[in-house]
Amino acid sequence: MWGQQQAPIDFGKEIQPIFVTKCYACHGPAEAKGGLRFDRRSDALRGGENGPVIVPHGAAKSELLLRVSSKDASERMPPKGEALSPRELELLQKWLDAGANWPDEFADNTQWWSLKGLKEVPPPEVSAAGQVWANTPVDRFIWQELAKKNLQPAPEATRTTLIRRLSFDLLGLPPTPEQVQLFLNDPAPDAYEKLVERLLASPHYGERWARHWLDLVHYGDTHGYDKDKPRPNAWPYRDYVIRALNADKPYARFIQEQLAGDAMFPGTVDGIEALGFIAAGPWDFIGHAEVPESKIDGRIARHLDRDDMVATTMMTFNSLTVQCANCHHHKFDPISQQDYYQLQAVFAALDRADRPYDRDPQIARQRGELNAQLNTILRTIAEYENKMKAQSKGAWDQLQQQLQAKPHVEGNVRAEFGYHSKIEAKQESEKWVEIDLGSDITIDQIVLHPCFDDFNKIGAGFGFPVRFLVEVRTSNEKENEYRVVGDFSKTDLLNPGLQPVTIAVSAKQTRFIRVRATKLAPRQNDFIFAMAEVEAFSGSKLISSGKAVRALDSIEAPPRWQKKNLTDGVFAKAAVPTESVQKLRQRLQELAISILGEAGWQEYQQLQAKITETRQSLAKLPPPQMVYAGTVHQGNGAFRGTGPEGNPRPIYLLNRGDIRQPGKEVAPGAITQIQLANNPFPIAENQPESARRVALAKWLTATDNPLTWRSMANRVWMYHFGEGLVSTPNDFGKMGQLPTHPELLDWLACELRRTQSIKHLHRVLVLSSTYRQQVVANAAAERVDASNRLYWRMNRRKLEAEAVRDSILAMAGKLRQEMGGPAFQDFQVEKPQHSPHYQYHLANVADPNLHRRSIYRFLVRSQQQPLMTVLDCADPSMQVEKRSETQSPLQALALLNDRLILAMVQHFADRLKAERPTLRGQLQYAWELAFARTPTEMELQALENYTQQHGLENACRVLTNLNEFIFID
């Protein structure tokens, strides 16, 4: 239409993506062929060794357009990659003719503040007054900015305020009245410094700061999504974080262990348990376990799972929103789709699953040696058998089949009687059958008897699982708290025939014995699980006869197949070989000797015997522990992260993030624009899966990766001051906020990089005068800096939900101090076999197990604990880098009426009566426990009047609802 104007070309959305995908490979930050680069405006406009290639307002004269549109394949760029599309050529031509506008914001993406290298900034020189005020270098940076606005810092807080502030900041617990008095009465000039060191040395420090970290990685004890099944083995990762923080583990190693601890620190418990980081987030049980990867929904589920791994890793350690490049190049930050899928490729072989490990190094070594020995034996046997099959022209297989068809059963017992699962189309479908002994009994041996079925010449060992686990639990242990006593899930078992499988149990109390098949036995184009008998012995006494049996599913076709046959004492026993069987075995031996020779046949037989011996040795070892972690999954093939050859799945760059539109295959890598002196990418071919994670761990912890050190330094500051120097702690990109004190942030980041100590950062911050300021009003300062971004006073902060709950338990004298171990469950579960319903109102608040610190609470994603949710507890389905601080009537109502609170204020009142003889003494003690200070006479008199009218228990309820209890000055 006449007069219509075309929209201007948007460089960031339309031109820069062309440079990133089509030009950067040869002319980008990693390589600049011919001296030409397109990642920076100045370099692109200057051109390369042959002069400029961009002519503003002259597309026809621009070498750039001529080369990318050339019909001559030897001249056209890019030389090997995908040629520019007609639309891309049109955009490039219009951009050049319009003047090749390249806005300043895209001049050099590496010049964005967070991507610049760290500067070793010395603390600034300040006035004499500033020098007097400054306790640590932090104060000199703060004073400098205050002086620019003619602002003065607030006075130092009182000792009672400081000890309460410090105790909650470092431990998440209130100080006891005795600890307060000790600090108040300490005349030493370094009394405050000694207090800081005592708190940092407390084991409760790790519990407090682990909670911050678990928020960040969205740790939970259930999967989330539709079924939200429990993860009974998630807790070892939580305990690892507590342990690592208490030990002040070097921060670089802390990162490396969580991404690649199994490869970088082999043989260590931390190196395995730390991998719970990769698996901490939600997991779609239906999309992985019930939908195969051959279906679109299955591929989408796995794509989204890797997306969560990438997002969690990069936001946690680098404060970058890399996941925004899933469907297109990042619209604001220098992150291409190529970068995003390179990071997905790092995790291409991983899934979230239980991973076995041994805490005892000696047991771990023994198990490793035995498994390695078993794998070697199985490979050697396979080589022998392949050789015999190939050279006998089918005679070996024919003799084996004839042997299987011969009778192997003593007498005329119908030995096919037993348990038989439903038939499955997939071999990796999981099945289980369980015996209930009726009560807890000490057992020391479990024996599994295979079936014999002469139907269709199936023979001995019918339905015996190829891989399986034997598990036990007591009456007191919950449905999901089984302990493995026999692990046969790592390698395929040969058919045992009628040879029973014996598991030594080391005299453990047991009620339930479960056999869980993880890889089923083949039948005819389908798969099953069958077993004739399960026997349990206490000493020499058989205790399983006639006991109740239940199973995931069962073919009930009596009398042959039914669950109760598993404990009826009827099972097949190997018969004495008949003359015909002996002749077949003789022919088999002669055939083998003719191919392998006498020595080879002898070794083959010895290896067969060695298999049984090795498996028995493995069965005698204590069962391994389990941690829910990022791992190459060996269980259900429906969600295995590796291909048939055991290699990571290929990762493709997806057009618009659509799994149905795969582009080129992508190799593992990181953010291209962040250039490191010693870049660990690309990794060499034929490396194990773990090499990808090792490379990313090294990339993240490189001393010249500025984001890693800035990100953590900002987080530590935020948790102490209530607001980060960058107020968007998970986004250091262009959509995030700029740092208020960039030089201070760099100084802190350099300190963290130099010392590798998070506790060192704590000392620097909490010893500062900036941290010790009062929370005071100042009208003049508020007019200049209403948000206190210059830190002219301390910020008042609200206690997190966990700190409120733990404080109430502590005041009541009911807080249990034991650390670690499985989470306590403050709910009852309904329908655990399908979609569990977590019923918090059915919990017994008098149960001492519920009185542990909140860090050990079982975190449900779909149905969160009502009291904790009202108090702004983090949602474990989301990465929560910063807790919300809301104030609502619901919070007051919950603190007045929640069942746990009501129980604890009763205990609080009982404690006061037991420890103080008079009402006035009881009320003064209550005030000291609640607020870490002595009440004024007016406060004490008001509380006494209320107590006389409404009772001591109600007075305790009032104290837990006062602002002074909920907030920290």
Side-chain angles (χ1 to χ4, degrees):
M1 184 180 293
W2 181 84
Q4 182 177 359
Q5 292 185 341
Q6 290 186 340
I9 299 296
D10 187 320
F11 176 84
K13 292 182 179 179
E14 298 174 303
I15 302 302
Q16 189 187 37
I18 298 175
F19 289 158
V20 171
T21 56
K22 303 299 173 66
C23 305
Y24 274 20
C26 299
H27 304 288
E31 186 174 3
K33 289 185 177 179
L36 179 60
R37 292 180 63 167
F38 285 105
D39 60 313
R40 297 194 298 213
R41 180 178 63 179
S42 57
D43 291 333
L45 295 178
R46 181 176 63 249
E49 296 170 355
N50 298 321
V53 297
I54 293 175
V55 179
H57 303 291
K61 299 177 182 179
S62 295
E63 184 69 14
L64 170 62
L65 187 63
L66 295 175
R67 293 297 293 274
V68 297
S69 61
S70 174
K71 303 299 183 183
D72 186 345
S74 64
E75 292 288 329
R76 187 175 62 242
M77 296 293 173
K80 297 180 181 178
E82 184 182 348
L84 271 66
S85 68
R87 174 59 178 162
E88 289 172 326
L89 291 171
E90 179 186 5
L91 287 171
L92 201 58
Q93 179 262 318
K94 290 181 178 179
W95 176 69
L96 290 165
D97 278 339
N101 180 43
W102 194 316
D104 288 341
E105 63 179 309
F106 298 102
D108 183 358
N109 279 315
T110 61
Q111 293 308 300
W112 181 246
W113 74 268
S114 63
L115 302 182
K116 293 179 181 178
L118 285 177
K119 294 180 181 178
E120 297 276 358
V121 183
E125 296 297 328
V126 295
S127 64
Q131 293 177 26
V132 171
W133 180 72
N135 274 313
T136 73
V138 167
D139 297 323
R140 292 164 66 178
F141 288 101
I142 297 298
W143 182 276
Q144 176 180 255
E145 297 305 311
L146 290 175
K148 290 178 182 178
K149 300 292 185 180
N150 294 317
L151 296 176
Q152 291 292 317
E156 183 168 306
T158 64
R159 280 197 174 192
T160 52
T161 297
L162 288 176
I163 188 172
R164 187 168 189 263
R165 182 187 298 173
L166 267 177
S167 189
F168 275 114
D169 269 12
L170 295 180
L171 307 185
L173 293 170
T176 66
E178 294 76 19
Q179 291 167 342
V180 173
Q181 285 304 311
L182 185 66
F183 177 52
L184 294 179
N185 296 333
D186 189 347
D190 63 344
Y192 181 78
E193 287 77 4
K194 289 190 297 183
L195 173 64
V196 169
E197 293 305 317
R198 178 177 65 78
L199 295 178
L200 286 175
S202 169
H204 298 309
Y205 159 81
E207 293 175 322
R208 165 61 163 173
W209 281 80
R211 182 64 266 160
H212 295 318
W213 190 262
L214 297 179
D215 280 5
L216 190 58
V217 304
H218 57 350
Y219 167 89
D221 293 287
T222 63
H223 290 323
Y225 288 93
D226 295 3
K227 291 194 173 180
D228 200 20
K229 289 180 175 290
R231 289 179 182 171
N233 299 311
W235 62 267
Y237 171 68
R238 173 250 290 153
D239 282 3
Y240 157 80
V241 175
I242 294 172
R243 190 168 63 248
L245 292 174
N246 273 332
D248 200 20
K249 182 164 290 195
Y251 187 58
R253 177 155 178 165
F254 185 55
I255 295 174
Q256 291 167 356
E257 285 179 338
Q258 292 179 79
L259 286 169
D262 54 339
M264 299 184 75
F265 311 102
T268 65
V269 172
D270 283 3
I272 299 297
E273 292 184 346
L275 298 176
F277 164 81
I278 298 172
W283 184 73
D284 184 356
F285 178 87
I286 294 176
H288 286 80
E290 298 183 0
V291 181
E293 194 166 353
S294 58
K295 295 185 178 295
I296 291 292
D297 286 351
R299 295 207 297 275
I300 290 173
R302 289 151 182 80
H303 171 76
L304 294 177
D305 203 50
R306 289 190 299 270
D307 176 77
D308 181 77
M309 293 178 184
V310 170
T312 302
T313 298
M314 298 308 293
M315 284 203 290
T316 297
F317 298 125
N318 272 184
S319 298
L320 281 183
T321 56
V322 171
Q323 67 275 18
C324 294
N326 184 344
C327 305
H328 48 71
H329 302 306
H330 202 296
K331 292 186 177 181
F332 305 101
D333 301 333
I335 302 166
S336 67
Q337 260 193 298
Q338 172 85 14
D339 292 338
Y340 170 79
Y341 285 101
Q342 287 177 171
L343 286 163
Q344 270 219 16
V346 171
F347 301 101
L350 296 187
D351 212 298
R352 307 170 200 257
D354 285 332
R355 177 170 180 159
Y357 69 107
D358 293 290
R359 296 192 65 84
D360 185 331
Q362 185 175 353
I363 298 298
R365 178 182 56 77
Q366 291 175 349
R367 196 185 305 277
E369 291 172 354
L370 287 170
N371 278 321
Q373 178 179 311
L374 183 60
N375 289 333
T376 301
I377 294 170
L378 291 172
R379 282 196 300 270
T380 307
I381 285 178
E383 290 170 3
Y384 277 134
E385 291 184 345
N386 289 336
K387 185 176 181 179
M388 289 186 284
K389 289 177 181 179
Q391 295 188 24
S392 69
K393 298 180 180 180
W396 174 268
D397 287 336
Q398 185 178 4
L399 285 169
Q400 292 278 21
Q401 291 169 7
Q402 289 173 357
L403 273 170
Q404 285 291 324
K406 291 293 182 180
H408 285 66
V409 183
E410 287 185 343
N412 58 1
V413 174
R414 290 292 303 274
E416 69 270 23
F417 282 13
Y419 159 76
H420 190 310
S421 77
K422 289 185 178 179
I423 299 167
E424 294 291 343
K426 296 176 184 175
Q427 190 170 23
E428 292 82 4
S429 300
E430 192 168 284
K431 300 287 185 181
W432 59 262
V433 63
E434 177 177 276
I435 296 172
D436 181 356
L437 299 176
S439 62
D440 292 330
I441 303 173
T442 299
I443 66 171
D444 49 23
Q445 191 177 76
I446 298 170
V447 183
L448 312 180
H449 291 279
C451 293
F452 181 92
D453 193 345
D454 56 9
F455 173 76
N456 202 25
K457 300 181 180 180
I458 292 172
F462 168 71
F464 200 85
V466 178
R467 298 188 184 192
F468 65 94
L469 296 162
V470 180
E471 305 168 315
V472 300
R473 67 182 175 94
T474 64
S475 301
N476 295 326
E477 291 171 316
K478 292 184 171 56
E479 178 76 21
N480 54 15
E481 292 181 347
Y482 285 90
R483 292 168 282 117
V484 177
V485 294
D487 188 347
F488 300 87
S489 64
K490 303 301 182 298
T491 56
D492 289 358
L493 279 80
L494 299 175
N495 187 321
L498 293 180
Q499 181 67 37
V501 176
T502 302
I503 297 102
V505 188
S506 302
K508 289 188 178 294
Q509 282 279 307
T510 297
R511 174 173 175 178
F512 300 98
I513 300 171
R514 174 174 288 193
V515 182
R516 179 157 59 94
T518 57
K519 188 173 183 180
L520 305 181
R523 204 183 63 135
Q524 286 186 327
N525 301 318
D526 51 34
F527 305 91
I528 60 162
F529 170 30
M531 192 164 288
E533 190 85 3
V534 175
E535 294 182 312
F537 292 89
S538 180
S540 61
K541 183 180 179 182
L542 177 65
I543 59 173
S544 53
S545 293
K547 299 300 184 183
V549 179
R550 68 186 188 111
L552 175 67
D553 54 48
S554 174
I555 288 181
E556 293 292 301
R560 297 184 70 207
W561 303 116
Q562 51 189 337
K563 292 193 295 290
K564 70 178 185 179
N565 288 353
L566 202 62
T567 57
D568 66 354
V570 178
F571 55 88
K573 298 176 183 177
V576 176
T578 64
E579 184 178 353
S580 60
V581 170
Q582 290 174 335
K583 288 181 179 179
L584 281 172
R585 289 181 177 173
Q586 182 65 31
R587 289 173 57 191
L588 194 72
Q589 178 176 337
E590 291 171 354
L591 177 63
I593 291 173
S594 70
I595 297 171
L596 303 177
E598 187 70 42
W601 171 245
Q602 292 295 330
E603 183 179 356
Y604 176 79
Q605 289 183 305
Q606 291 169 2
L607 288 171
Q608 292 282 11
K610 194 69 175 175
I611 288 177
T612 301
E613 180 186 330
T614 306
R615 285 181 173 148
Q616 288 176 344
S617 297
L618 281 166
K620 291 177 182 178
L621 294 176
Q625 274 87 15
M626 293 285 183
V627 58
Y628 192 80
T631 184
V632 178
H633 183 55
Q634 300 294 329
N636 189 336
F639 61 100
R640 190 174 296 161
T642 57
E645 306 303 320
N647 298 316
R649 294 285 191 218
I651 299 298
Y652 302 99
L653 194 153
L654 304 180
N655 181 33
R656 301 183 66 82
D658 188 345
I659 201 77
R660 297 167 298 181
Q661 300 185 53
K664 64 178 181 178
E665 187 173 348
V666 178
I671 308 301
T672 309
Q673 289 281 8
I674 300 177
Q675 295 297 297
L676 305 179
N678 297 302
N679 189 1
F681 290 106
I683 58 176
E685 293 185 5
N686 301 321
Q687 292 293 302
E689 172 278 327
S690 59
R692 301 171 176 224
R693 294 181 285 116
V694 170
L696 180 58
K698 290 182 176 178
W699 184 88
L700 286 167
T701 56
T703 56
D704 52 344
N705 184 334
L707 288 164
T708 300
W709 315 105
R710 285 188 178 119
S711 175
M712 189 58 181
N714 185 63
R715 295 190 196 283
V716 177
W717 178 280
M718 178 188 71
Y719 291 128
H720 280 305
F721 290 92
E723 192 73 77
L725 295 170
V726 181
S727 61
T728 50
N730 265 15
D731 189 358
F732 279 12
K734 292 184 178 178
M735 292 304 289
Q737 296 297 308
L738 294 173
T740 56
H741 298 72
E743 291 185 337
L744 172 57
L745 180 59
D746 270 18
W747 185 86
L748 291 169
C750 288
E751 284 293 290
L752 176 59
R753 182 177 64 178
R754 178 180 65 82
T755 64
Q756 294 291 316
S757 170
I758 297 174
K759 285 189 177 181
H760 172 72
L761 285 192
H762 290 308
R763 291 186 185 93
V764 168
L765 297 182
V766 302
L767 291 174
S768 69
S769 295
T770 306
Y771 178 83
R772 298 194 220 183
Q773 293 180 97
Q774 294 179 16
V775 177
V776 292
N778 184 325
E782 288 168 0
R783 284 193 292 271
V784 176
D785 178 25
S787 299
N788 192 33
R789 299 298 284 141
L790 298 178
Y791 300 99
W792 50 268
R793 60 165 169 81
M794 189 58 177
N795 291 315
R796 176 177 286 116
R797 286 166 293 144
K798 189 179 181 184
L799 286 177
E800 296 96 333
E802 291 86 350
V804 172
R805 180 185 178 277
D806 293 351
S807 295
I808 293 174
L809 287 168
M811 291 190 307
K814 292 296 180 180
L815 183 64
R816 295 177 59 179
Q817 301 292 327
E818 61 265 32
M819 298 178 64
F824 69 85
Q825 298 182 359
D826 51 356
F827 51 79
Q828 294 291 323
V829 180
E830 294 181 357
K831 299 182 180 179
Q833 295 303 321
H834 181 63
S835 299
H837 296 173
Y838 301 94
Q839 307 287 7
Y840 292 96
H841 67 281
L842 298 178
N844 178 11
V845 294
D847 183 353
N849 290 321
L850 272 61
H851 301 162
R852 300 182 67 197
R853 285 203 70 175
S854 300
I855 185 73
Y856 302 114
R857 191 169 59 86
F858 194 96
L859 299 180
V860 178
R861 298 186 197 272
S862 61
Q863 295 168 260
Q864 295 172 55
Q865 212 280 347
L867 171 65
M868 305 299 278
T869 301
V870 166
L871 296 176
D872 299 322
C873 191
D875 182 346
S877 294
M878 303 169 58
Q879 270 195 276
V880 179
E881 72 276 18
K882 184 179 178 182
R883 291 276 184 101
S884 299
E885 286 190 8
T886 65
Q887 299 179 54
S888 72
L890 285 177
Q891 293 170 351
L893 290 170
L895 288 172
L896 282 170
N897 301 307
D898 181 83
R899 292 191 307 123
L900 178 68
I901 303 298
L902 291 175
M904 288 305 111
V905 295
Q906 178 63 63
H907 287 304
F908 189 12
D910 293 342
R911 177 188 181 184
L912 297 175
K913 294 173 184 176
E915 298 186 23
R916 295 292 186 273
T918 66
L919 176 60
R920 198 169 182 83
Q922 291 163 6
L923 297 178
Q924 179 168 322
Y925 189 40
W927 200 279
E928 292 168 352
L929 286 167
F931 309 127
R933 68 175 178 86
T934 302
T936 65
E937 180 58 33
M938 183 181 296
E939 290 167 335
L940 189 57
Q941 186 60 56
L943 187 60
E944 187 173 10
N945 293 340
Y946 181 89
T947 306
Q948 289 170 344
Q949 184 176 357
H950 299 287
L952 184 58
E953 182 180 343
N954 280 326
C956 292
R957 291 174 74 192
V958 168
L959 293 180
T960 61
N961 271 269
L962 295 180
N963 279 351
E964 190 173 352
F965 178 75
I966 300 296
F967 288 86
I968 313 171
D969 272 350

